[in-house]
Amino acid sequence: PLQARMKRLPKWCSSTLSTTLAAQIGILPLLALYYGRLPLLGLIANFIAIPLCGALMLGGGAILLLCAVWPVTFLLQGLKWVLNVWCGVSRWMADLPLISLACPAPGGFFIALWYLGAWALSPFLLPGARRRALTVAAVAVAGAGCVAATLGSRLTSDDFVMLDVGQGNCIAIRSGSAYAVFDTGGTLTGYDPGQQVIIPYLNQEGCTRVSALFLSHPHQDHIGGAQALLEQDRVAALYIGGNPTDPLWEPALQAARARGVPVHYAQPGEAIAVGSLSFRVLYAGRTEDANDASMVVQVEKDGRPCLLLTGDIGGEPLSALVEDPVPLVQVPHHGARSGVEGDWLGRLQPRYAL
């Protein structure tokens, strides 16, 4: 039906355009739900991608069949080169500005409404212009109500989310429409949690600005994803904790300077506002042991503690810092024995532990 409405276009053009439009309509809500992004230039990119992919599939299949009876390795090498070039072109297109737009994850009702609207607007099912106009109006009103209800509930709530970054620490905090991130995980194996976990999560949330990025101490499993996040031009301010002269800070600091992100060396007693929450720095050490130099932050709402962020500080030094009960605690050092020493658990009496 879409192609039939493009009679004035050349057949190859109408075929590519209608195929892309149909695919976009079919998967748009799922892209928003699972990846937190909506394609803006997909139609243009597919004018290049679809013909080339078709040619590569046909040509590659023919070469493989030929090689089954006559081992012409130079053709396989040529096919490999063409595929590498195509992968490079694909990566280049993926990095183009405005290739996609970050958006919040839609709810189940909105997704159902989208597909209902797509079905209702099908030319086969809507023969009359008046019926089509009424359906469009109904879908638009219902969709606007759904979006308004979703956004309204999010603008008045707070979320604390520990992200799965493997052997590392990363907690995302949302207060209304404002976001903060404490630590960014990381490993020594080439896995980048910034690119693979944190940025996709923020995109899915529709977060375009991180008000504050806190890095507790210079160990790879706490700062490994910071560089990728800072290079996204969405961090408003960077706060670093223990041992600020450690050379392991350098990649994150360079990324911050390159993007003009203000760098603050956390000072005990200072408070940083993010939405309706206050991030009060209890400690940021200058000790030989980087773990025990970890920045410790108490998140408060209306003057009451609601979350304690501890990095890798040991249980004994933590016991000297805290007094008031806190309902939610990030257990120091990933739950290692050294993190639960001392009497801080008895003082804080947390209901939940991360």
Side-chain angles (χ1 to χ4, degrees), residues 160-235:
F160 309 123
V161 179
M162 175 168 269
L163 299 181
D164 183 1
V165 291
Q167 179 60 38
N169 185 57
C170 178
I171 298 178
I173 299 106
R174 179 182 64 82
S175 177
S177 59
Y179 286 80
V181 175
F182 185 87
D183 283 344
T184 58
T187 67
L188 298 175
T189 61
Y191 166 74
D192 188 341
Q195 284 287 359
Q196 295 176 257
V197 178
I198 303 170
I199 292 171
Y201 169 78
L202 294 174
N203 289 342
Q204 186 175 356
E205 286 286 295
C207 169
T208 59
R209 196 72 170 160
V210 174
S211 300
L213 171 60
F214 299 90
L215 300 178
S216 62
H217 66 291
H219 278 174
Q220 186 69 12
D221 57 344
H222 289 256
I223 66 172
Q227 183 176 353
L229 182 56
L230 287 162
E231 289 174 349
Q232 283 274 304
D233 287 326
R234 71 170 91 197
V235 176

Side-chain angles (χ1 to χ4, degrees), residues 1-46:
L2 286 173
Q3 188 175 2
R5 293 180 176 274
M6 304 176 185
K7 296 177 181 178
R8 296 183 179 181
L9 296 176
K11 187 174 181 180
W12 69 268
C13 182
S14 63
S15 175
T16 301
L17 186 59
S18 61
T19 301
T20 303
L21 276 173
Q24 297 265 343
I25 292 170
I27 66 172
L28 210 60
L30 302 180
L31 290 174
L33 177 65
Y34 290 107
Y35 299 101
R37 301 200 73 82
L38 295 176
L40 298 181
L41 301 180
L43 288 175
I44 298 173
N46 281 337

Side-chain angles (χ1 to χ4, degrees), residues 227 230 247-256:
Q227 183 176 353
L230 287 162
L248 289 176
W249 287 119
E250 200 54 33
L253 294 177
Q254 286 183 359

